[in-house]
Amino acid sequence: MIKINVDMDKCQHYGQCVFEAPNVFRLNDDDKLEYHATAEDSERDNVQAAIDVCPMQAIFIVD
């Protein structure tokens, strides 16, 4: 399992992460980001892609 953290003070809810890792990130009905704090190891590449595309650099894998 990998642990994920999003700095919600930085996050502007652009949703780019949703396109890269839809099993981990989603925008709710109010267009606010929601995410799973843990994900299967098989999602690591998708989460890393989400980290890379985040314009606010608000997503982190916690080791």
Side-chain angles (χ1 to χ4, degrees), residues 5-12 35 56-60:
N5 185 45
V6 176
D7 183 339
M8 297 307 281
D9 292 329
K10 286 185 177 181
C11 178
Q12 296 296 307
Y35 70 100
M56 303 311 294
Q57 295 297 286
I59 305 168
F60 305 92

Side-chain angles (χ1 to χ4, degrees), residues 23-40:
N23 293 329
V24 178
F25 303 98
R26 75 176 205 90
L27 293 178
N28 66 20
D29 293 337
D30 294 324
D31 289 330
K32 300 294 183 189
L33 183 70
E34 295 179 347
Y35 70 100
H36 297 285
T38 60
E40 296 295 328

Side-chain angles (χ1 to χ4, degrees), residues 1-2 4 24 38-45 47:
M1 294 291 269
I2 59 172
I4 302 153
V24 178
T38 60
E40 296 295 328
D41 288 332
S42 61
E43 289 289 329
R44 182 177 289 274
D45 288 345
V47 172

